[in-house]
Amino acid sequence: MAKLTIDGVAIEVPDGTRLFDACTQVRGEALPHFCYHPDLSIAGVCRLCQVEIEGAPKLTIACNTVVRDGMVVHTRSERVRRAARQILEMHLINHPVDCPICDQAGECGLQDQYMIHGLYASEVAKSDKVLKLKAQPIGPHVILDKERCVLCSRCVRFCQEITKTGELGIFQRGDRAEIGVAPDRQLDNNYSLNTVDICPVGALTSRDFRFQKRVWLLRSVPSICPGCATGCNIRIDHEGGQVWRLRPRRNDAVNGPWMCDTGRLEYKRLHAGDRLSRPLVRRDGELREVEWREAWPELEQRLTAGKGKLALANPHQTVEELWLFKRLAGLFCGEDLTAGCLAGSDAAEGDQFLLDADRSPNRAALARLGLAARAPAQAAAQAVAGAPVLVYGGDPALADPALAAALGAAELIYFGTRLNATASRARIVVPLAMWAEKAGLFLNRQGRLQALRAAIARPETAREDWRFLAELLTRLGAGPQPATLALLRAEVGAAFGLPAAQDLDALPAEGLVLAPVTGAPAGGGR
Amino acid sequence: MPRDDCRILSARFGRRDGHKLAVYEADGGYRALRKALTSMTPVAVRDEVKAAGLRGRGGAGFPTGVKWGFVPAGASTVYFMVNADESEPGTFKDRWIMDYDPHAMIEGAILSSYAVGARLCFIYIRGEFGWLIDRVQKAVDEAYAAGYLGRGILGSAYELEMLVHKGAGAYICGEETGLINSVEGRKGQPSIKPPFPAVQGFLRQPTIVNNVETVAAVPYIVREGAATYRRHGTEKSPGTKLWSVSGPVRRPGVYELPLGLPFREFFTQDLGGMADGEELKAVIVGGSSVPVLTADEIMGVNLDYESLAEAGTMLGSGGMIVVPSRCDMVELIQVLMHFYWDESCGQCTPCREGTGWLHKIVKRLRTGAGAPSDVELLERVCDGMMGLTICPLADAAVMPMRSFLQKFRHEFVALAHRPEIAQPRSRWARQTNEVVR
């Protein structure tokens, strides 16, 4: 441990701590900085985090300094403030100050520092500004504005150190220096949008989000990416009932501060056109919209008409939903429990970093709840013609032609959000909520429980999944069901063998890792 | 006329075929190496250089033996690099060594490599020195052929490979970490310190980088001993220094002087005073990066590290630029500011943006487009650059700029207040073929 004094406050930090981080601890806010990033190597080029260390003749950058016992540091002295102000001015002299048309406005390091230091009068002649290229697409998702760039090199280091793809570099020197893409390359790795996140200014912007929304209008909800089994922690930025972008949220046990582009663009499917909003019932061969009061009796009648042979869930539903679904399937299929999920669904190519080959967020929960995977052919064999079949979410009809035919011939009941190949073969379709419209838990590939939170409202006529399932169970005579999500989670927690004191409404920040189940199906049903 | 009483580095300047191995050997060359390899341990060589008080001649003046001592004890892989990226404006001394006496540098590099435990040595020569690269490469080949390089040098267990590396003509590669990055094949720009190269340099191994002139003094020190070396110079600035003198003096050129010599004596006796019709206005004494001294100031100083520091400037590289009174100081600083703007590597913000800004303001003043506030603005920009960057290039631009503003302020103020007196076309440029951009 090292004892040091920062701004008159004595603190003790572990040996090897970066002075930058020790300063943050004391100040309650980080020193001004552009190039420092805790997950990247130290560049030391923005020169903004200069502090005064007693005994050192010059100011020292805190990001490249390791604490020493007995250090006396000043971060708010007049000398430090003046240096920060002067260096900030240097950052600004060739900046175009085109904030009114810049997507970074509102979350821009230059703007923030400018407000702190109050450099209201520009001393640089307009004609003295160095002009550089603006709005150059450098990859499928990212656009570069060289004028706005402060050359902090975070994006370059990200591509060298995190993705190890090395697409970006700094070309030329002096005030002609600029970020660029290596010859014959594009910034086309699947993590390219992280460069937009770490860019402290508006030099790198997302081609997807560009010009869509002013960031100060956005509201942000912490949630979990539904794109794959990794379960990256995210923020859902939404406004006006619409999600505008997803951003990674730091969880060092899962995704660090990053997420992949595939996951980031997952939100687009929320607003795709084939959304189910009202119950559908097949009449005269056509699926027709009906009111819920008409749908309920139809649903009850179909679910109790005969013993179902097949109830298929899918790994995009939350833990709580699957828990209730399993209960429903027990009722529906009786002792002859053939509930499960489709094997091999959502399989794609993964990478060695965050994107998992399993593009579903909750497959581990299926396994833990005993909703075993079955092959499409097996499922097709169980979907007996004329007998009721229950499918909850997903699109199994798309997985296999034989299964599609079998589902079409059976009395198919579909709960879901999309009018897809499966829904369009159903006798009755129940509209439920999408992932950004509901709360729930996902169990990721590490066996870590993480919480999904509702960001936007579902269509008024669609139901929140767990409430619908609970009501349906009650109507079917399964007795009283949990009246709140908290009570439902308590049931799930008990089933998972968690202590009663474990409140699943308040998971630890890094999520809750469940102890492996002995005797659980190996491989989690992948 | 070079002084005959202290010719350590320049003894062989002008010697016919002096760059050839046979002539160098006939003049006593490689005797120091033989002595070291047969009778001295590496530590003994280092201690001798430390005792001699030899200081880095590239500009910083850091004690060479002390620098060598920073290599961690027991380091298994150490590299040695000779910094021959001589590109400080006004400095042209190392090229004389490489031109006339390349073997002195090579012998010094072998001795230095031996002292620090290096088995691979680079000689990093700036790209514009095409003919010197050929000359040094030939000398290295000769040294290999004669067994001064390679395995088992002079029958000892010591082995050393030496590579001549051609730079691409960037001033910043003369900064030691920029040089190391350049040799590694990276962009030539300095690295943040710590770690220092002596601990973690080339390929993350301990690396010592020394200037050509520093290295070339080592054979003499090893051969004659520290005490003999210290007979020259002063107590705190021992030995001799090469000075490259440019400007309208009667005898410009490269001179070797004992440190501590009064400038007045050097100026009147060696340089022969100003050329006919010229009057001394100022001297930039240690290469373009140091504060300028006025004629009055320079006449009172001695040419050694301490006296020059006391006078508010630095010995630097010994690139002495003599400025005549007909020279427009604003124009001169414009040339220098153009240089630093052009050569800034661009990684640190204060330097990247500041050098360009300084150049633009000075240029504006010079062309009659300036405003009275520009003089204060120049000072403010300097404040935002000095001491705030990874390497000293920003400081190197600020030091002359500030001293010009301080000592020749009236010339800046006159231009700012009376832009009509501006002479965008340069008298000076016509005389020196200097391109003023």
Side-chain angles (χ1 to χ4, degrees), chain A residues 18 35-37 40-45 61 63-64 157 161, chain B residues 192:
Chain A
R18 251 177 229 302
C35 68
Y36 174 72
H37 190 286
L40 302 174
S41 64
I42 298 297
V45 296
I61 51 169
C63 68
N64 194 43
R157 284 176 282 148
E161 297 161 16
Chain B
I192 35 171

Side-chain angles (χ1 to χ4, degrees), chain B residues 26-242:
Chain B
D27 290 346
Y30 288 108
R31 281 212 328 253
L33 180 62
R34 199 172 296 274
K35 176 184 174 187
L37 291 183
T38 52
S39 66
M40 295 172 83
T41 62
V43 173
V45 173
R46 190 182 82 200
D47 289 346
E48 200 65 36
V49 170
K50 204 186 259 183
L54 177 64
R55 293 169 68 166
R57 301 294 194 227
F62 194 81
T64 305
V66 176
K67 192 178 193 178
W68 292 358
F70 290 155
V71 173
S76 60
T77 308
V78 182
Y79 298 103
F80 188 81
M81 296 186 174
V82 181
N83 186 346
D85 193 50
E86 181 174 61
S87 36
E88 173 92 356
T91 309
F92 46 94
K93 59 183 181 77
D94 294 340
R95 68 158 79 176
W96 280 50
I97 295 174
M98 288 187 280
D99 206 0
Y100 288 118
D101 209 1
H103 280 289
M105 175 185 72
I106 292 168
E107 187 180 4
I110 302 169
L111 286 166
S112 306
S113 299
Y114 177 68
V116 302
R119 280 175 302 183
L120 177 57
C121 168
F122 292 89
I123 300 175
Y124 186 97
I125 308 181
R126 71 182 286 204
E128 292 91 335
F129 284 167
W131 79 101
L132 292 178
I133 293 166
D134 293 344
R135 173 151 292 191
V136 171
Q137 183 64 58
K138 276 185 188 134
V140 168
D141 294 345
E142 281 182 315
Y144 265 108
Y148 296 124
L149 284 169
R151 284 172 177 274
I153 298 171
L154 297 176
S156 72
Y158 183 59
E159 57 177 297
L160 178 69
E161 300 292 330
M162 187 174 283
L163 294 171
V164 178
H165 188 100
K166 182 184 175 182
Y171 173 63
I172 198 57
C173 292
E175 197 276 352
E176 59 181 5
T177 56
L179 187 148
I180 289 168
N181 278 329
S182 173
V183 178
E184 284 184 358
R186 299 170 193 276
K187 194 172 176 186
Q189 57 187 23
S191 310
I192 35 171
K193 285 141 262 184
F196 288 90
V199 178
Q200 213 180 86
F202 182 63
L203 303 180
R204 299 180 163 267
Q205 300 301 318
T207 304
I208 294 294
V209 183
N210 282 147
N211 170 261
V212 172
E213 185 187 344
T214 316
V215 166
V218 172
Y220 179 90
I221 292 168
V222 169
R223 199 171 64 232
E224 309 292 333
T228 312
Y229 185 74
R230 292 192 83 106
R231 287 218 292 265
H232 306 285
T234 68
E235 175 59 31
K236 284 185 170 167
S237 293
T240 64
K241 174 81 189 83
L242 290 180

Side-chain angles (χ1 to χ4, degrees), chain A residues 47 94 123 128 172, chain B residues 187 353 360 364 380 388:
Chain A
R47 315 304 294 173
N94 285 319
E123 299 247 27
D128 279 353
Q172 308 300 332
Chain B
K187 194 172 176 186
E353 309 295 345
K360 280 175 184 161
R364 204 160 61 211
R380 281 204 28 248
L388 295 173

Side-chain angles (χ1 to χ4, degrees), chain A residues 76 122 213 226 255 258 269 346 362 378 424 521:
Chain A
R76 298 185 191 272
S122 171
K213 255 308 163 224
N255 54 305
W258 319 119
R269 300 221 302 227
D346 303 290
N362 202 26
Q378 195 187 354
S424 56

